[in-house]
Amino acid sequence: MIHSSLTEMGVALRAKKISSVELTQSYLDRINTLNPTLNAFITLNPEATIEQARAADARLAMGNADALTGIPIAQKDIFCAKGWLTTCGSRMLHNFVSPYDAHVISQFNNAGAINLGKTNMDEFAMGSSNETSFFGPVKNPWDTSRVPGGSSGGTAAAVASRMCAAATGTDTGGSIRQPAALCGISGLKPTYGVVSRYGMIAFASSLDQAGPMARSAEDLALLLNTMAGFDVRDSTSLQRDKEDYASHLLKPLNGLRIGLPKEFFAEGLSSDVAQAVETSISEYKKLGATIVDISLPNTKLSIPVYYVLAPAEASSNLSRFDGVRYGYRAPEYTDLSDMYEKSRAQGFGAEVKRRIMIGTYVLSHGYYDAYYLQAQKIRRLIAQDFVEAFKQCDVIMGPTSPSTAFKLGEKGDDPVQMYLSDIYTIAVNLAGLPGMSVPCGFGSNNMPVGLQIIGNYFDEARMLNVAHQFQLATDWHTRSPKL
Ligand code: GLN
């Protein structure tokens, strides 16, 4: 059953071929076997999990089950879940038990889904390799000497190794799409505002967006149906009619116009990734799509702009972690300001501190205009590039990441090299657009390659259709690592 789609699991649960308790227990057993090596889960709470599965079985017996009732879902440890340790991968929150549920968590709870456990992540979602977690790195299940990508690396590894049926991630600059690509799974970052950020620990609020990570586009659609929706508690949540993201899956792709940005196929892209992506584009031509050459001229500015704006927002968001209200407090200090200083010095890791310092600097008097304001202006130009591009095409495609999964430790000493791994994903967040990654082949070292699909605002249903048709024609998404 652990290799079945969410739809198949739902059918089996409703037909009583398997109970939610049995299904959930089989995942917990698999986690027990594989997690000591992969380190994808950082908090498990088997009693609470099985208790939820029992309740789901009761609901299934009453015949009022939802599509996800009884299905075990792993949650990135950035989402507050009532009664669960919620650490955001940081020592700062190593002892924080959330008193409330994030909107995403309550949506899954209302659907009767099972919270299987909390997944490892880069500290405060800052990273592209999952090496900045206070709880140690996650290993890529395809090759445990390599990174799973980040920051949703625990989620990506958990889905790829079939330790959960599906899971959640968040994406500020690529953290759903890049780990999905590096672990050979599917992931979708929705249009900014489609999924409520309430109860999701903030990194860079104007960029953060939660989304589903799963084995296939079909599964993503079911998850997004549960996650999306208006929430008054998030002032950037959008009030729109409820949509069925699975409704377009079966539409043929005849006449689909795919834009290929020349900047995505230039210097910096590994040849094995380029080859897999180009082969997938040929597959799309066979499915009836036409190719349009486009340009996103400001692509190369997206990384410098992001590394001004995201740290600026992070420096403000993370000022709440002061050792007073919750989280880590230094055991010894002399006075109040010493307590703040020591708690923050000991509670945050190196990458988080680097971002707080950059953010404080670019927001400081005298530098604000030169850095922060300038970056905001270029952000608008980057968004405008997409507006122009979507006049000529329906979706944009390219690689998700310039290379396949790199070795643990390989980029640790060179933050700029690490930052460059998000070159194709970051502009999408700056523009607030939806983006996804689907498996599209393997590179020279036998590691998975991801194809990125970028859609226009609110075009998630079409993107899922485009991805699903590809997955009907190919079998990359069904491959799983030998474990
Ligand atoms: N890798 C990027 C960063 O380090 C993006 C992270 C994210 O999307 N959360 O900021």
Side-chain angles (χ1 to χ4, degrees):
M1 191 93 267
I2 62 167
H3 291 282
S4 313
S5 72
L6 297 185
T7 304
E8 288 162 351
M9 285 184 196
V11 168
L13 285 163
R14 286 188 289 277
K16 316 275 183 310
K17 292 219 168 69
I18 188 168
S19 71
S20 174
V21 169
E22 287 163 344
L23 182 62
T24 304
Q25 191 57 54
S26 70
Y27 280 112
L28 289 172
D29 293 345
R30 193 163 168 87
I31 293 170
N32 265 334
T33 315
L34 298 178
N35 201 52
T37 315
L38 298 176
N39 199 26
F41 283 88
I42 47 181
T43 299
L44 294 165
N45 194 344
E47 278 108 79
T49 297
I50 291 293
E51 187 56 47
Q52 253 190 323
R54 274 199 208 99
D57 280 331
R59 181 165 164 182
L60 284 156
M62 284 182 347
N64 65 346
D66 222 316
L68 296 181
T69 305
I71 298 183
I73 309 283
Q75 302 290 351
K76 183 175 182 178
D77 204 24
I78 199 167
F79 294 103
C80 288
K82 193 174 176 178
W84 283 76
L85 204 55
T86 300
T87 70
C88 219
S90 182
R91 181 183 205 185
M92 188 52 95
L93 289 174
H94 76 286
N95 57 358
F96 175 66
V97 176
S98 176
Y100 72 105
D101 282 327
H103 183 74
V104 164
I105 299 287
S106 43
Q107 293 289 96
F108 278 111
N109 286 344
N110 295 342
I114 314 304
N115 184 350
L116 191 58
K118 306 293 286 292
T119 58
N120 203 347
M121 56 182 283
D122 276 303
E123 185 177 8
F124 285 103
M126 298 174 189
S128 306
S129 66
N130 226 293
E131 293 166 297
T132 72
S133 170
F134 175 62
F135 302 95
V138 176
K139 311 285 170 58
N140 191 311
W142 292 90
D143 175 350
T144 53
S145 71
R146 293 179 187 271
V147 303
S151 64
S152 312
T155 281
V159 173
S161 61
R162 312 301 190 237
M163 284 195 279
C164 58
T168 54
T170 62
D171 192 313
T172 304
S175 280
I176 287 177
R177 290 160 286 158
Q178 186 256 16
L182 271 47
C183 288
I185 64 160
S186 306
L188 184 140
K189 180 205 94 74
T191 306
Y192 183 79
V194 162
V195 176
S196 167
R197 292 181 295 109
Y198 177 79
M200 183 176 119
I201 297 169
F203 162 12
S205 309
S206 78
L207 301 159
D208 297 343
Q209 188 61 202
M213 298 175 76
R215 285 159 303 185
S216 67
E218 190 193 347
D219 285 0
L220 293 177
L222 285 188
L223 296 161
L224 190 58
N225 279 347
T226 299
M227 296 173 77
F230 178 63
D231 174 19
V232 284
R233 299 169 299 183
D234 171 2
S235 62
T236 60
S237 168
L238 295 166
Q239 201 154 10
R240 309 183 72 245
D241 291 339
K242 195 87 185 148
E243 223 182 298
D244 177 6
Y245 293 101
S247 60
H248 295 358
L249 290 179
L250 296 174
K251 258 178 72 179
L253 298 185
N254 300 333
L256 178 80
R257 296 170 305 162
I258 300 176
L260 299 183
K262 66 169 188 279
E263 294 78 7
F264 283 25
F265 295 88
E267 200 198 326
L269 177 63
S270 326
S271 58
D272 55 341
V273 173
Q275 203 179 3
V277 169
E278 277 155 19
T279 309
S280 317
I281 304 291
S282 316
E283 188 64 44
Y284 271 107
K285 285 194 210 156
K286 283 192 224 151
L287 293 171
T290 54
I291 305 303
V292 190
D293 290 321
I294 60 163
S295 174
L296 297 169
N298 291 300
T299 298
K300 66 174 185 310
L301 296 177
S302 61
I303 292 196
V305 165
Y306 174 89
Y307 280 99
V308 171
L309 298 180
E313 295 186 30
S315 69
S316 164
N317 275 326
L318 272 59
S319 64
R320 73 191 67 180
F321 302 107
D322 55 7
V324 176
R325 286 159 287 199
Y326 43 74
Y328 181 81
R329 179 182 297 180
E332 280 167 39
Y333 46 87
T334 51
D335 56 17
L336 182 63
S337 72
D338 192 45
M339 191 278 283
Y340 289 149
E341 270 173 41
K342 290 214 167 85
S343 300
R344 286 169 68 82
Q346 295 163 15
F348 291 134
E351 183 61 27
V352 173
K353 286 180 192 157
R354 182 179 295 131
R355 307 264 181 128
I356 292 174
M357 284 191 283
I358 296 171
T360 307
Y361 181 81
V362 299
L363 288 175
S364 58
H365 184 73
Y367 294 109
Y368 183 89
D369 288 0
Y371 294 110
Y372 184 75
L373 221 53
Q374 192 66 11
Q376 289 288 28
K377 289 178 186 162
I378 303 172
R379 178 178 188 172
R380 173 57 65 91
L381 295 178
I382 290 168
Q384 197 56 37
D385 281 356
F386 285 102
V387 171
E388 290 305 315
F390 281 120
K391 289 180 182 160
Q392 304 165 59
C393 60
D394 304 309
V395 291
I396 294 172
M397 285 189 193
T400 303
S401 180
S403 69
T404 57
F406 42 93
K407 294 266 186 192
L408 284 151
E410 192 180 316
K411 299 191 181 181
D413 307 332
D414 190 348
V416 175
Q417 263 317 101
M418 188 75 90
Y419 297 169
L420 280 171
S421 49
D422 297 320
I423 177 80
Y424 307 127
T425 50
I426 276 182
V428 170
N429 301 72
L430 291 167
L433 289 165
M436 65 187 296
S437 182
V438 290
C440 75
F442 289 85
S444 46
N445 44 25
N446 279 323
M447 296 304 286
V449 176
L451 171 72
Q452 186 174 204
I453 306 172
I454 302 168
N456 212 337
Y457 298 104
F458 308 114
D459 228 359
E460 287 85 356
R462 190 206 309 245
M463 294 158 67
L464 288 161
N465 162 232
V466 167
H468 181 63
Q469 291 300 312
F470 180 72
Q471 293 184 334
L472 287 178
T474 59
D475 70 352
W476 303 116
H477 65 293
T478 65
R479 313 280 182 98
S480 61
K482 305 263 165 301
L483 289 163

